[in-house]
Amino acid sequence: MKTLVIGSGGREHALCWSLAASPMVSEVLCAPGNAGIAAVARCVAVAVDDIDGLVRLALAEAVGLVVVGPELPLTLGLVDRLAEAGIRAFGPSASAAQLESSKAFTKDFCTRHHIPTARYRTFTKDRAAEARAYVEAEGAPIVIKADGLAAGKGVVVALTLDEALAAVDDAFAGGFGEAGATLVVEECLVGEEASMFALCDGTHALEIGTAQDHKRAFDGDQGPNTGGMGAYSPAPILTDALVEQVMATIIRPTLKGMAEEGNPFQGFLYAGLMLTAEGPKLIEYNVRFGDPECQVVLPRLMTDLCQLLQGAIDGQLAHMSLRWFPAHALSVVMAANGYPGAYARNTEIRIPADLEGDDLLLFHAGTRAEGGRLLASGGRVLNVTGIGADLQQARDRAYAAVERIDWPDGFCRKDIGWRALARS
Ligand code: AMP
Ligand code: GLY
């Protein structure tokens, strides 16, 4: 069967790599892909927001399974459009993707279904005075969020009242763009953050990995927020008992509630969690795999990914289970100097031919090939994933490989994994 993966990041490289290893898959296509993906898939230059173009491509190539990586095409209704065209696609409908595209939708949904999350109120632009009054009554620290997708820039964790009021004013003045026309003001949760992924078929969910990300650009969790500078899996803080608690109090009630409301969720559900003294609470949902979390979860997965995704589309997950290699994985993101601010493009990267092996995988993000050279073409550029019997070994392997990559114009965090290693 031909499969088509949508996207061009490290997550999509990991998805293509995993699907290419499946005996069920005859060929992997990727739109638009990158220089690394081209080694395992046929890349086709169709952009992720060109919904008509993607549907045309899937029909022309008689693709048997489409796997959507990023949120944008999901929220634009790609899966709905593919279904209308008779093409099997893994990922939620635009309506179910509201779990990521609208924070107000998700918060109201959590209230209806008693899913533990931070206390909150939502305010539209015409109620700015009420928003300010609510913030003043609640006090700092407090969290101000844009309702819509804001590419990770829509959240202000305000430590002082002045900062919180400034964030409200700024959002209503257009500081978060269109996404900030409605604000969610919520209680600041205290605890450690961790992520859990669920594979969902509309009624049933299977846990498909835990991870911890590193959102800040620099060591010691300093500097601006990014898409993620590194991750490891499993996350030791999410014990088996906590995983079961998250499934019972957050994931399963979500699947049940969405189905009851006529909005069943099929796809990867990514729960961003705060592990508070009162138990795990949902910070946010994403309706896709995490990036770079996917690059540390899939290398540990023993079960055939294609079989699992087909099972999800067919509503068969109640009859399936996952098997894992007894391994830990840690990925270091190499980004262009200046990221997440302005950075240079088209700088050359030199990678030793023998870098990759059974315990070292290199997933490309913003790369392109030109005249036999490898060039950086984005902010996050490479994901260097080490695999080991424990986290320390996975980390040592990842950083040893980073040392061998010759890219003077890139940087990485040197402390990926610190939280889990401090605990062990
Ligand atoms: P989000 O875009 O919703 O993932 O938020 C970005 C980051 O803001 C999260 O990863 C948390 O570190 C932080 N954050 C969001 N909501 C809260 C909250 N209610 N309490 C504490 N921190 C939060
Ligand atoms: N690494 C965070 C995300 O994928 O949203």
Side-chain angles (χ1 to χ4, degrees), residues 123-144:
F123 299 94
T124 45
K125 202 170 175 169
D126 53 317
R127 289 170 56 217
E130 279 173 65
R132 288 184 60 103
Y134 180 73
V135 166
E136 279 177 347
E138 290 287 308
I142 193 160
V143 183
I144 318 291

Side-chain angles (χ1 to χ4, degrees), residues 36 48 76 88 157 212-213 225 256 315 372 418:
V48 299
L76 293 176
R88 288 163 65 81
V157 180
Q212 277 181 303
D213 189 12
N225 263 326
K256 187 163 177 280
W418 70 269

Side-chain angles (χ1 to χ4, degrees), residues 288-306:
R288 50 174 175 80
F289 226 113
D291 182 344
E293 292 91 329
C294 188
Q295 295 90 298
V296 287
V297 170
L298 290 186
R300 299 178 41 244
L301 181 66
M302 191 189 284
T303 315
D304 186 287
L305 180 66
C306 184

Side-chain angles (χ1 to χ4, degrees), residues 103 107 117-119 142-145 151-157 186-191 193 215-216 225 270 272-274 282-286:
K103 293 190 193 293
K107 298 297 289 190
T117 184
R119 209 157 26 85
I142 193 160
V143 183
I144 318 291
K145 297 184 174 183
K153 299 191 186 92
V155 176
V156 174
V157 180
E186 66 179 42
E187 166 200 8
C188 190
L189 297 173
V190 180
E193 278 186 74
K215 289 200 175 178
R216 302 298 188 109
N225 263 326
Y270 163 164
L273 304 166
M274 189 72 88
L282 182 72
I283 298 176
E284 64 159 359
Y285 270 135
N286 294 307

Side-chain angles (χ1 to χ4, degrees), residues 333-422:
V333 170
M334 297 183 75
N337 286 338
Y339 173 81
Y343 51 82
R345 285 174 200 265
N346 300 323
T347 57
E348 187 169 0
I349 308 164
R350 291 188 186 83
I351 299 173
D354 63 350
L355 190 81
E356 289 186 75
D358 288 344
D359 48 28
L360 195 287
L361 300 165
L362 184 65
F363 296 117
H364 290 223
T367 65
R368 65 188 188 87
E370 191 181 273
R373 297 189 311 154
L374 182 68
L375 303 178
S377 61
R380 291 191 296 171
V381 172
L382 295 171
N383 301 263
V384 186
T385 302
I387 296 155
D390 57 28
L391 190 63
Q392 185 66 53
Q393 191 177 42
R395 182 187 209 246
D396 291 345
R397 286 175 172 158
Y399 278 112
V402 165
E403 286 302 313
R404 297 185 61 211
I405 294 175
D406 177 13
W407 184 31
D409 301 282
F411 77 102
C412 67
R413 276 181 62 161
K414 302 280 190 250
D415 64 346
I416 301 303
W418 70 269
R419 258 179 225 287
L421 291 171

